[in-house]
Amino acid sequence: MSSQVTYVDVILPLPLPRLYTYTVSIDLVEFVKTGQRVIVQFGKNRYYSAIVQRIHHEKPAFDAKLIESIAEEEAIVTEKQLSFWKWMSDYYMCTEGEVMNAALPSGLKLSSETKIRYNEDYDGDFESLNEYEFLIVQALRAQTQITIPQVQDLLKKKNVYPLLKTLFNLGIAISSEELAEKFRPRTETYVKLNDVFHDEEKLKQLFDELSRAHKQVELLLAFMQLEKKSKFIKKSGLLELAKVDASVIKRLVDKGVFMEFKMEVSRLGNFQMAEMESAELSTEQKKALEEVNFHFESKNVVLLHGVTSSGKTNIYIEKIKEVIAQNKQVLYLLPEIALTAQIINRLRKVFGNQVGVYHSRFNPNERVEIWNKVLRNDYKIIVGARSGLFLPYFDLGLIVVDEEHDQSLKQIDPSPRYNARDSSIMLAQMFDAKVILGTATPAIETYYNVEKGKYGLVELHTRYGGIEMPEIVVVNTSEQRKRKNMTGSFTGPLVDVVRTALQNKEQAILFLNRRGFANFQICRTCNYVYKCKNCDVSLTYHKFLNKLVCHYCGYNEQATTQCKSCGAIDLDIVGMGTEKVEDEMAELFPSAKVSRMDYDATRTKHGHANVIAKFENREIDILVGTQMVTKGLDFDNVSLVGIINADQLIHHPGFRSHERAFQLMMQVAGRAGRKNKKGLVVIQASDPDNPVIRNVVNGDFKKMYETELMERLQFSYPPFARMIEITLQHKKVPNVEQAVLYLANEARKTNLGIVLGPGTPLISKVNNYYLREVLIKSSKQSKDLTPMKHALRNIINKMKTIPELKSVEISVDIDP
């Protein structure tokens, strides 16, 4: 056996600038693995679960602490995942601990334990405990609570976690901050017939003995009925069939007729595979699939640019079949949870239980279960939002990024602020896998990469099944107001076509990218506007809640009828949101079923799926929604789409506003159209001749792309420059002002890029923090941001040593 000391470098779930090194005790050396969770002490009394990133024999410059324990025998993070975490932390200028926090489900993170108490409800004995465990129990029973250092002093041992874990698992001890598994497998109680009664004679004797206990006989008959269908009989199912309570089973268990046992079961359910089906590809789709495969011979990334409803999903499905036939995994990334319901149903009809789903609406236990299933290769296909990138794949063969242009693929807060599309390309590279980027409205940068020969391009110009592209009509809201032809938020022409659609038993979608009822509340006497007390924004009125709500920090207050500034009863609500549109539509068409799909209406786990299912089943006539309704949803009875306020989209601040306005309007317009009838899109705008609107009417992506490209070249924006956006925040204005000036000046001294700012963002205060910004663009000579990132890290590290600047919080966003 080697006499060398073994060390591990671990990733802690904290924003630490480097990895920390710990010593491995001799008895644990042979069990430690890369990617495994270990329990470590960090600081004086804090304990964390960390991930082993490297095992080595290089003695650190300091005395390394021993790892306390190993959390489980096998690694839960793969080598490739660790490489991906490292790349992400380097590229997006964050720590590996922050990536770990984003990647691991909360059920796989252990929290630090501080106080331990005896569980007064424990009714078992202590016979199985060793002497150390029994000493802890005695101390617990003698005192109200004890801490880890007190346990260490009591036992004269440093590694007390395994002993405490035994007490937690037995239910003898409980803690306020448990260093114990948050994930608990779900178990179900099953009932088994004693083997003795599998003999016909013995069974007959049993029935004779129970002849007067009618309920027990009914229970036994119910068991025998279920036993014909399944090997494992659930206690709950047996009670339901026999229509008796649990006491009847207990009596039969006491008599030795039945035995109860627990088994771990999945929370995720199973899909019934009876419906499995596959759509036939059209001639154009077959040609497109051939082109995808042709490009994959020389390129790793292909853009599938197909008009809305061209059947891109059918092409994905055929390609997925090829990949899983090679025993490889597929990641199907979607920008929005709202999309997963329809896509999952389509994929499961083809692939059955090979499809897993992963997104933030699952509870922690379900997310752990999915993580473990991917690790065991139980799923061949994972459908998920951007967090699906972090799962422990063993052999990825294909990543599909659907709606690749969508801004929801970009993580805004907290760190890492990554773009799932760009990160998926890097992840695929690590597995030597291929990537399909699918959309009807490509991102400017993506199409630029196509033109430069970096990505392959496959186009679909017609809709699947011969459906025609919708007719797009623009209605001038300024003119309609002059003619007094407005009904609330709607122009006369829009009201007319909604009425026609309803008369024809067809459905309509109305799109407005603002939730709530109205933008703000104002007093007409003193002009007081109700604002958030924590943020520099007006409060949005939500009629359903009768509250004024801040969409940045969540602050809310009850709506009143009297001005809190001057006392006048002259309050007015200004602007409109999805709630108002829903309300007005319900008033205009009282017999129509109107519903809403936005963040407020779909907060629950199955909120999106429920609304979509109702709309698909035609239980909803008019669906009002935010950008959730624009993304890839397929409804065969939608003949009309109304865009309520196009001006709001076009005049949004930011260099991407025209691109995003075009994408949103084209995407929502694509929801209109039926097999035998051309759909209609009505756009309400005060400037119908705006170039963005004209490009939407003409369905001219190329024109929009060329216009945007010229402007971005002129003003040095992506794809002609790379960008870093740095946001500084502090609760005091002088501190943040001093810090932002220092950072901007130091960045200019490097001469590694164009430094813009300091500047004040549009929303200058959020949650009582004052915000300031600096924007750095790459120089025209080189788009490589690596030297600037390195310099920026040094500047930020230096700021942390300056007393008056170190309390300022700094966040860095690469490729904003």
Side-chain angles (χ1 to χ4, degrees), residues 590-660:
S591 60
K593 287 165 285 200
V594 186
S595 194
R596 185 163 40 93
M597 189 157 99
D598 58 19
Y599 179 76
D600 300 310
T602 56
R603 285 175 187 266
T604 60
K605 178 174 164 184
H606 300 295
H608 299 93
N610 292 340
V611 174
I612 289 166
K614 283 183 179 180
F615 199 55
E616 281 181 324
N617 296 332
R618 304 185 189 181
E619 295 169 38
I620 298 168
D621 299 311
I622 302 168
L623 182 62
V624 179
T626 55
Q627 60 180 341
M628 285 182 183
V629 301
T630 70
K631 301 172 183 180
L633 297 168
D634 254 340
F635 304 109
D636 62 9
N637 195 42
V638 175
S639 64
L640 172 68
V641 165
I643 296 172
I644 306 300
N645 189 351
D647 306 314
Q648 173 204 40
L649 300 172
I650 295 165
H651 301 301
H652 195 274
F655 75 94
R656 298 187 195 275
S657 61
H658 285 187
E659 176 193 3
R660 284 182 175 158

Side-chain angles (χ1 to χ4, degrees), residues 18 28 279 307 328 348 372 394 450 477 502 648 689 798:
R18 62 181 179 82
L28 292 179
V307 296
K328 290 178 181 253
R348 281 182 167 166
N372 290 334
F394 84 101
V450 167
T477 50
L502 293 173
Q648 173 204 40
D689 295 319
K798 192 175 176 184

Side-chain angles (χ1 to χ4, degrees), residues 466-483:
I467 302 169
E468 289 185 80
M469 293 299 289
E471 179 189 355
I472 301 177
V473 175
V474 186
V475 181
N476 190 326
T477 50
S478 299
E479 272 186 20
Q480 293 284 309
R481 281 194 185 93
K482 283 177 190 172
R483 293 179 186 177

